[in-house]
Amino acid sequence: QSGAGGNDLRHTGDRKELKRLARQGIPADRRQTVWPQLCRATEIREAEAEGYFEALLAQPSPTSMSDPGFAAERQIELDLARTFPGHQWLSSADGAAKLRSVLVAYARRAPAVGYVQGMGFVAALLLVFVPEPSEAFWCLCGVVEWLLPADFYSPTLLGLRVEQCVF
């Protein structure tokens, strides 16, 4: 977690060095440490109260179809089996439970976004390399809220559509 000078990687010089090294490819065994720093997961987590992830999961599941969270959580359940269906760990009960927790927590964190198809694949990949669900959740927050263009993951997928048009 330290840069060349032994400093925290959040310092500008160390972030530049990290960016340079990341472009060469991050070894799989280092991704658990490096990915959260690249997507600023620690900074985003520090902006919230301790136990925030757990508090999101402790909220009762919506029971009314008129509640926007109901549709998001229903879609998450449908997509769990469709997300990397041949992957041994993600297809297990433990893997599905961890993926569900990351996606449900994010849908509750950002109800305006909720859950968008494709988000499960990002969360699943994060869980493969960052196996602690709370850490994968913070990485997902960083990807959606900081790395990707605005509205990339939104009910209209406007940011994604703009990117496709530009491409």
Side-chain angles (χ1 to χ4, degrees):
Q1 292 193 1
S2 297
N7 297 326
D8 188 311
L9 287 172
R10 287 180 277 185
H11 296 303
T12 306
D14 292 333
R15 287 193 69 77
K16 286 180 182 177
E17 175 68 5
L18 178 60
K19 185 176 180 179
R20 185 186 68 74
L21 292 171
R23 287 184 174 154
Q24 295 174 5
I26 300 168
D29 63 333
R30 304 286 290 158
R31 292 177 187 166
Q32 182 175 357
T33 304
V34 175
W35 280 7
Q37 292 189 28
L38 289 175
C39 66
R40 298 192 174 176
T42 303
E43 294 171 44
I44 296 168
R45 178 183 27 222
E46 288 172 353
E48 301 295 346
E50 190 170 332
Y52 180 77
F53 173 74
E54 293 78 10
L56 289 171
L57 293 177
Q59 293 176 7
S61 292
T63 55
S64 169
M65 291 173 72
S66 63
D67 186 329
F70 181 85
E73 292 188 28
R74 182 170 172 258
Q75 192 62 51
I76 288 168
E77 288 303 319
L78 292 172
D79 285 351
L80 286 174
R82 301 176 194 162
T83 306
F84 297 121
H87 192 279
Q88 184 177 5
W89 179 75
L90 290 169
S91 298
S92 73
D94 182 50
K98 288 180 177 182
L99 179 57
R100 178 185 300 108
S101 70
V102 171
L103 295 172
V104 165
Y106 192 80
R108 292 176 181 174
R109 171 183 171 84
V113 174
Y115 169 75
V116 179
Q117 285 186 326
M119 194 180 280
F121 288 99
V122 175
L125 183 63
L126 288 167
L127 278 167
V128 167
F129 292 101
V130 183
E132 177 57 42
S134 63
E135 191 68 23
F137 164 77
W138 291 113
C139 288
L140 181 62
C141 292
V143 168
V144 174
E145 298 167 12
W146 184 74
L147 287 174
L148 293 176
D151 293 328
F152 198 87
Y153 279 123
S154 68
T156 63
L157 297 174
L158 179 62
L160 176 61
R161 293 186 346 213
V162 168
E163 290 288 318
Q164 288 174 337
C165 287
V166 170
F167 180 69

